[in-house]
Amino acid sequence: MATNNPVTGQFGTGNVQFFGGIVGTASVASTFIVPQGVSSVRVRVWGAGSSGGGAGGFAMKTIYGLVPGASVVVTPGASNTASTTSFASSFGSYVSANGAVNLTGATGVGGDINYTGGTGIANYGAGAPSIYGNGTSADTASSVGASGFSGAGGNTSGGNGLFGIGGFTIASTGAAMPTSGLDPNTLNLDAIGTGGGGFSGVSGVNGGGGANNGHGGFPAGGGGTNTNSRGGAGLVIVEW
Amino acid sequence: MRYARAREDVIVEIYESPGMSTIDECFHRSIACEFFEVVGDIQVGWTRDENGEWVAPPVPAQEPPVVQQ
């Protein structure tokens, strides 16, 4: 049965459109055309993570009173390769999420819920926020990313996300790559932004932070703050 | 239209709005208010000079060629 629950579960008839950000020096906008017979949509927005370590923001909003055939500008924030200021994502003027600036996590604005990306530290990127809450900040005390909604990057172990597991390398047992926490057999949008963090030189996944030269996981994860790392790009998801 | 936003007098983002849309139609007002319309060839990394004009950063001086002995 279709519902209009503004937080979780299927929205409307279950149609979904994704707008993913690029890796580059500027965001590329496109357009969402309100389908015939549709007057409300639910939108999830992640801003891009920074190569400097901060994670992008997150917001989610149900928008009513749309006119079929009308167009809305959609901007998924690019993962900036030119500086540590990353770019915002947006669904028109309705709801946006800022890109992270250097180590500092960014926030969502205009949503029914708005969450903040985690804060990075030198060499370790932070985790992205998700529908479940703020992203995880990198942990300087243990060099192991703390557990949270998306795991932060760490030295020998990345932090666990809410669903994904952080990667690790241990001399006695070997290494394991971080996991996304996404079930390939279902389209569970609520699990986006809940992945594990990377460890030294390994990228995070599904919003997890990267470590050292590892990238931040898509969407919105913070990069490992070294020259070769970059943040996870932004993402906009529209449901109706 | 072409917009930019700056932090500490340095351009950090250039945004090209699609079609004839304005920045207010592209971002929530709390973000849109940080952008300003620009014309010309302003790029990321440009800085504001003492006259308030946006100028390209100086080109780094080239190293003199090494003369083989």
Side-chain angles (χ1 to χ4, degrees):
Chain A
M1 176 181 171
T3 70
N4 284 337
N5 184 329
V7 178
T8 61
Q10 177 180 304
F11 184 84
T13 55
N15 288 287
V16 180
Q17 188 168 356
F18 291 79
F19 300 85
I22 66 167
V23 176
T25 57
S27 299
V28 178
S30 56
T31 302
F32 175 77
I33 306 295
V34 180
Q36 291 301 313
V38 172
S39 61
S40 60
V41 298
R42 184 171 64 185
V43 181
R44 306 166 194 241
V45 181
W46 285 264
S50 169
S51 60
F58 171 76
M60 183 171 176
K61 183 180 181 66
T62 299
I63 300 158
Y64 300 97
L66 294 171
V67 177
S71 62
V72 180
V73 177
V74 180
T75 305
S79 168
N80 188 4
T81 55
S83 78
T84 57
T85 297
S86 220
F87 300 145
S89 298
S90 194
F91 183 78
S93 61
Y94 297 101
V95 58
S96 303
N98 258 309
V101 177
N102 206 353
L103 293 170
T104 306
T107 59
V109 291
D112 299 322
I113 58 173
N114 302 287
Y115 288 125
T116 302
T119 298
I121 59 174
N123 299 325
Y124 306 118
S130 75
I131 187 175
Y132 301 102
N134 296 330
T136 307
S137 295
D139 180 355
T140 186
S142 63
S143 291
V144 176
S147 297
F149 297 98
S150 282
N155 184 12
T156 57
S157 298
N160 294 329
L162 186 64
F163 297 135
I165 306 298
F168 62 86
T169 176
I170 299 174
S172 58
T173 58
M177 301 301 284
T179 67
S180 69
L182 294 168
D183 183 347
N185 298 313
T186 61
L187 179 59
N188 185 3
L189 301 181
D190 294 348
I192 294 177
T194 64
F199 58 93
S200 185
V202 171
S203 301
V205 295
N206 189 20
N212 303 114
N213 289 317
H215 306 310
F218 172 75
T225 72
N226 276 357
T227 305
N228 295 327
S229 73
R230 61 174 185 268
L235 173 65
V236 179
I237 301 173
V238 185
E239 303 166 82
W240 69 94
Chain B
M1 284 183 273
R2 198 160 186 263
Y3 298 88
R5 63 174 166 174
R7 292 186 188 279
E8 298 175 348
D9 284 340
V10 178
I11 299 290
V12 295
E13 181 170 3
I14 297 290
Y15 181 81
E16 305 256 4
S17 63
M20 295 300 294
S21 57
T22 67
I23 197 71
D24 293 327
E25 297 171 298
C26 298
F27 290 97
H28 187 269
R29 60 183 180 278
S30 64
I31 294 176
C33 69
E34 296 180 358
F35 282 91
F36 51 92
E37 192 171 351
V38 294
V39 294
D41 192 35
I42 292 176
Q43 301 291 336
V44 170
W46 285 35
T47 58
R48 195 193 300 268
D49 68 10
E50 62 272 14
N51 299 317
E53 301 292 327
W54 293 103
V55 295
V59 178
Q62 289 192 326
E63 299 273 331
V66 176
V67 178
Q68 298 289 335
Q69 297 294 327

